[in-house]
Amino acid sequence: MAIRVRESTKDDLPAIARIAAAAFHPKTDIISARIFPAQQQDATLDNDIVSWRYAKKTASLSSPHALMVVAVDDSLNDQVVGFALWDVYSEKASNQPQPSAQKPPPPCFDQEAFAELRAIVSSDHQEMFGERGIKDVWHLDYLGVDPQQQRKGIGKILLDWGISRAAGDKKDCYLLATPAGKPLYTKTGFEHVRVVPIFGVSHHSMLLRHNR
């Protein structure tokens, strides 16, 4: 296995969408289970979830405040085996055109649950950093690894990539960790700051400080 990290392109989006849908599947992820409740009864809706993930990641790729990278395995003909999405605010980029509106979500999508999730996350940004929210940190929005490629250190490679570049910018790193993800972030130097309940499950607001 020879893993390298590079910035993502449009050609990577199908693989990213599939990985996101599999790594954060409603059967294993509490947030996805609330956003796509019907999926638990009808597995044929998996295609709708992949399509929604594709639309979201397409918007992220064109956002001036997002940086998406992929981990590729050279031993698997450069197969995309994981991805990370960072929110990296830039005053210069704020004047660039914003991504166009996305197509409507699939019928299985719970709009109210998604709005509740966004409100919880936004509130944590304000609690952590005040009025400017995440504009002065590198925010890890997503880190996903192909379930068939997990437990090979790919997540840490992706995480280290972002941490290194945030350090170069002299910016702290921030994330909201799931219970399953918390051990990786703790081992990498993130400090637990506060518990954030999301849909009845304790998530963890965490910070890695470069500015001391």
Side-chain angles (χ1 to χ4, degrees):
M1 183 180 71
I3 301 297
R4 58 188 174 87
V5 178
R6 60 166 172 78
E7 292 192 29
S8 58
T9 69
K10 287 198 310 182
D11 292 339
D12 298 321
L13 288 170
I16 292 171
R18 288 193 298 270
I19 290 172
F24 302 99
H25 194 277
K27 291 181 179 178
T28 57
D29 180 73
I30 186 63
I31 292 177
S32 295
R34 283 292 297 271
I35 295 175
F36 297 101
Q39 204 281 339
Q40 295 186 12
Q41 288 78 41
D42 187 356
T44 63
L45 294 178
D46 278 355
N47 288 338
D48 286 339
I49 296 176
V50 172
S51 295
W52 182 78
R53 297 284 187 188
Y54 182 91
K56 292 287 288 182
K57 298 304 178 286
T58 298
S60 296
L61 187 64
S62 61
S63 170
H65 302 305
L67 177 58
M68 189 155 57
V69 297
V70 291
V72 297
D73 190 338
D74 291 340
S75 67
L76 297 175
N77 296 319
D78 293 344
Q79 177 182 325
V80 175
V81 292
F83 75 96
L85 174 60
W86 294 84
D87 291 319
V88 183
Y89 185 83
S90 168
E91 297 287 353
K92 182 178 180 180
S94 63
N95 295 322
Q96 297 181 12
Q98 297 298 307
S100 58
Q102 298 181 39
K103 65 179 181 179
C108 60
F109 185 81
D110 189 325
Q111 297 270 19
E112 291 186 1
F114 188 66
E116 181 181 350
L117 171 65
R118 290 177 65 93
I120 293 170
V121 171
S122 178
S123 176
D124 189 58
H125 296 172
Q126 299 297 314
E127 289 286 340
M128 288 287 290
F129 307 110
E131 291 185 3
R132 284 184 61 82
I134 59 173
K135 290 181 178 180
D136 299 314
V137 297
W138 275 51
H139 168 224
L140 181 59
D141 191 9
Y142 267 95
L143 192 156
V145 175
D146 184 339
Q148 296 183 354
Q149 303 296 328
Q150 290 179 358
R151 300 188 182 281
K152 297 180 179 179
I154 297 170
K156 187 175 187 305
I157 291 171
L158 284 162
L159 185 58
D160 287 346
W161 185 96
I163 291 172
S164 175
R165 277 144 185 83
D169 282 352
K170 298 181 179 179
K171 296 287 186 69
D172 295 340
C173 296
Y174 154 78
L175 56 85
L176 264 173
T178 64
K182 184 185 176 185
L184 168 63
Y185 303 124
T186 300
K187 290 179 182 178
T188 315
F190 281 81
E191 302 172 13
H192 177 267
V193 178
R194 60 196 295 264
V195 172
V196 180
I198 302 179
F199 302 144
V201 174
S202 294
H203 288 64
H204 307 276
S205 192
M206 305 186 75
L207 194 64
L208 188 150
R209 303 178 191 272
H210 291 304
N211 297 321
R212 294 184 182 274

